[in-house]
Amino acid sequence: MSEYNKPLPPPTVESEPFWDGCKRHELVVPRCDACLNHWFPPTATCPKCWSTDWTWTGVSGKGKIYSFGVYHRAYHKGFADELPYALVVVELDEGPRLTTNVVGCKPDELSCDMPVEVVFDDVTEDRTLYKFKPVNDS
Amino acid sequence: MSTNLSGKYAIVGVGQSPLGKVPELGPIGLFAVAAKNAIEDAGLKKEDVDGLITRGPDDVYCHHQRVGEALGLNVTFSTSTANGGASQTMAVAMACMAIEAGVCNTVVVGYGRDTWSRTHRNAEAKQAVASSPRTYSEFGSEFGRFGAPVNYAVSARRHMERFGTTKAQLGAIAVAFRNHARKNPHAFMKKPLTLDEYLGARLIVDPLCLFDCSVFIDGAGAVVVTSAERARDLRQPPAYVRGFGFGNRLSGWYNDDNMINTGAKEAGEAAYKMAGIGPQDVDTAQIYDCFTHMVLLQLEDYGFCAKGEGGPFVGSGALEFDGVLPTNTSGGQLSEGHIEGMLQVLEGARQVRREHTPDRQVKDCNIAFVSGHGGNTVCQSALILGREAG
């Protein structure tokens, strides 16, 4: 097996529980105990009501594509073989938006508002990335 | 209660360094040359300057101190800004506020960097650009998110799907600014550009192609700001600061609808209110153009057309020299060169000073609207310059 050659920035103290969730194949985001707002990326206070009481909460993993851009230029050698590839912004049903990739779909098949759901990609022994795939209508 | 500063302060001098490929100068040296030229243009001396607001490459710590040292300046008010491309228009406003507060009288504002040389000066620089990015950010780099274009590509895509905006309409922006650059001897890109060439250009981050992206050059620009009273005795016709405003949607480009409805709305409304005018009174616009699409968004948010109608507006030829809103009349960052909006402050002042040759001078130009945009895409600053104080 060839070595994984894409960047994997190390988790921070604030993001570690999120990446631990990915490793368990669970998508978790902060949810405010006071106003029930979900947000991402994780921060110490709810950006909506500034409550410091919040809980890592599992979400449905379902959402839709807010927008996307298709790279035709490789800024990193790890992505050179994948051109053209799409950087996709997914809006979860719970509200937060995540930057990600969509698998099982070519860039020219993407469109805004397309329904997608989370899949997990165990890219190394230590790290699992959240990605999304199109939801079939059936 | 607020005090209306409209017309109380003015840009009295403008200056720039050599632009383009200037490998013999670094960012501080470029700035120093521009500042010297601006002070001389005003008919002032080094001793008259008691304020300095600067910006340069992000990796230069306390940038204003480096510039001040190079210029041998001791001043009462001095700082560096960090709102990216929104900094330069904001710094002109900050200069007015500082003078109004009585902390200084005459302020040099500028920006300079050696962006072309950083990637081309020598073999080491060329290697740096060829290798992979040196910094990675969580929740993005893992998925191949690098560089600035993607932020505008996702916004453009969303705008296209929601409002029917087309690539050809974005192309009209690039072509108009190139047409302007062709008349500017200092512009970096002077080769003719047709819409067909634009549409056939290689893609960077679809829907953005090569000609949707601004051009990185070496260079600096600076202006001198002082009171309107003082301005009347100086060498050049003043470019009065008639209005300014800011909008910083710090909640994030990727949150809410901030990548479609930008802080330019708040920035523009405040600037128009201060100036007592509306977008219909603007004779020329100098709109921050890191990417074509950002021009389109700002034209909508600054009220030159309705939200969603930016495509047809620019597609009509509105931005051309003989259009309804001659925009980026020196070529903009897409063709003159990217100096983070500073050259557009200079061009706005030059247009209201009416100093250009007729082929570049907007006829009877009384009001120039200048915008800055940047930071991490969410900062907007607007500046309205007038030939008259009010």
Side-chain angles (χ1 to χ4, degrees):
Chain A
M1 190 177 143
S2 63
E3 203 171 309
Y4 188 74
N5 65 350
K6 296 185 177 72
L8 289 171
T12 66
V13 285
E14 292 185 347
S15 70
E16 204 161 9
F18 171 81
W19 292 112
D20 287 345
C22 287
K23 220 168 152 184
R24 301 191 303 270
H25 290 201
E26 283 177 41
L27 195 64
V28 296
V29 302
R31 189 184 73 159
C32 179
D33 296 346
C35 77
L36 307 183
N37 176 42
H38 293 81
W39 76 88
F40 196 82
T43 54
T45 57
C46 170
K48 203 166 161 190
C49 76
W50 291 8
S51 170
T52 52
D53 297 324
W54 56 270
T55 309
W56 285 103
T57 306
V59 290
S60 65
K62 293 186 189 306
K64 56 189 183 180
I65 292 177
Y66 181 75
S67 192
F68 59 99
V70 183
Y71 277 78
H72 287 257
R73 187 198 139 178
Y75 288 74
H76 186 283
K77 58 183 184 306
F79 290 89
D81 294 339
E82 299 193 8
L83 295 177
Y85 70 90
L87 191 286
V88 181
V89 183
V90 167
E91 181 173 297
L92 295 174
D93 287 351
E94 292 81 0
R97 292 193 191 136
L98 280 71
T99 298
T100 185
N101 301 132
V102 170
V103 297
C105 178
K106 291 195 183 75
D108 60 7
E109 294 167 343
L110 298 170
S111 62
C112 295
D113 300 323
M114 188 172 152
V116 290
E117 65 185 2
V118 75
V119 290
F120 292 96
D121 187 354
D122 301 312
V123 295
T124 69
E125 225 168 84
D126 300 325
R127 290 296 292 278
T128 297
L129 298 182
Y130 57 96
K131 294 182 180 176
F132 286 78
K133 66 173 187 181
V135 175
N136 294 322
D137 290 327
S138 55
Chain B
M1 290 298 291
S2 67
T3 308
N4 192 340
L5 305 189
S6 185
K8 288 183 74 177
Y9 302 98
I11 292 174
V12 296
V14 302
Q16 66 196 48
S17 72
L19 305 176
K21 302 175 183 176
V22 196
E24 66 275 19
L25 290 177
I28 306 297
L30 290 163
F31 193 118
V33 171
K36 172 181 153 62
N37 289 338
I39 293 162
E40 283 178 4
D41 179 62
L44 290 167
K45 292 192 294 292
K46 175 184 160 184
E47 291 70 29
D48 297 313
V49 177
D50 58 2
L52 180 67
I53 309 175
T54 78
R55 186 172 148 74
D58 291 324
D59 54 3
V60 178
Y61 178 66
C62 287
H63 185 265
H64 63 112
Q65 296 179 22
R66 298 277 310 279
V67 169
E69 186 176 10
L71 291 168
L73 274 179
N74 293 322
V75 297
T76 49
F77 181 72
S78 175
T79 193
S80 316
T81 52
N83 284 34
S87 300
Q88 286 56 251
T89 39
M90 185 180 76
V92 173
M94 285 170 71
C96 300
M97 293 187 253
I99 303 169
E100 175 75 14
V103 299
C104 54
N105 297 297
T106 300
V107 185
V108 169
V109 170
Y111 180 90
R113 72 176 178 191
D114 57 339
T115 316
W116 183 85
S117 289
R118 278 178 175 232
T119 52
H120 296 83
R121 186 179 271 127
N122 50 36
E124 193 185 351
K126 284 177 185 165
Q127 179 55 36
V129 73
S131 62
S132 292
R134 274 163 286 180
T135 55
Y136 299 128
S137 56
E138 201 178 25
F139 312 125
S141 300
E142 303 93 335
F143 307 102
R145 178 179 163 183
F146 304 103
V150 71
N151 296 321
Y152 302 90
V154 295
S155 170
R157 172 66 60 197
R158 183 86 191 162
H159 200 277
M160 286 170 163
E161 293 214 11
R162 186 160 157 199
F163 299 114
T165 311
T166 66
K167 274 287 288 173
Q169 288 165 342
L170 293 182
I173 299 171
V175 169
F177 297 176
R178 181 63 60 86
N179 288 340
H180 300 155
R182 285 171 50 70
K183 297 186 279 187
N184 173 3
H186 302 291
F188 194 67
M189 302 293 282
K190 290 199 280 283
K191 197 174 161 225
L193 176 67
T194 66
L195 191 56
D196 280 347
E197 284 169 321
Y198 168 89
L199 292 169
R202 68 183 167 92
L203 293 165
I204 304 296
V205 183
D206 189 7
L208 302 183
C209 71
L210 183 66
F211 297 120
D212 289 305
C213 305
S214 54
V215 290
F216 280 164
I217 61 167
D218 300 329
V223 298
V224 183
V225 179
T226 193
S227 69
E229 283 158 29
R230 187 144 201 226
R232 290 184 191 105
D233 301 327
L234 297 177
R235 181 182 289 160
Q236 299 288 359
Y240 291 99
V241 176
R242 294 280 303 274
F244 50 73
F246 317 101
N248 298 291
R249 296 202 176 185
L250 308 181
S251 59
W253 186 250
Y254 287 79
N255 290 323
D256 303 322
D257 62 348
N258 291 342
M259 69 169 71
I260 297 295
N261 293 290
T262 75
K265 190 154 192 345
E266 300 87 87
E269 283 171 359
Y272 292 132
K273 189 179 173 201
M274 179 172 163
I277 64 165
Q280 71 283 355
D281 300 309
V282 172
D283 297 307
T284 179
Q286 310 298 328
I287 303 291
Y288 194 93
D289 56 340
C290 43
F291 298 91
T292 50
H293 174 67
M294 197 60 220
V295 176
L296 190 144
L297 281 185
Q298 291 177 90
L299 289 168
E300 294 175 348
D301 291 333
Y302 285 131
F304 295 109
C305 59
K307 180 53 67 182
E309 291 177 9
F313 180 69
V314 301
S316 73
L319 311 188
E320 296 280 356
F321 185 69
D322 57 0
V324 295
L325 185 71
T327 296
N328 292 12
T329 43
S330 59
Q333 308 194 113
L334 291 168
S335 283
E336 182 183 33
H338 188 127
I339 302 294
E340 289 217 347
M342 195 63 221
L343 296 179
Q344 290 161 302
V345 177
L346 270 62
E347 175 65 6
R350 285 169 170 151
Q351 286 290 351
V352 298
R353 278 159 53 158
R354 301 181 186 171
E355 68 181 37
H356 283 310
T357 49
D359 62 326
R360 295 172 63 194
Q361 177 61 50
V362 174
K363 200 164 175 288
D364 302 327
C365 185
N366 289 314
I367 298 287
F369 187 100
V370 186
S371 87
H373 157 81
N376 198 3
T377 62
V378 298
C379 297
Q380 285 290 153
S381 307
L383 178 68
I384 297 173
L385 300 175
R387 184 165 178 85
E388 307 294 336

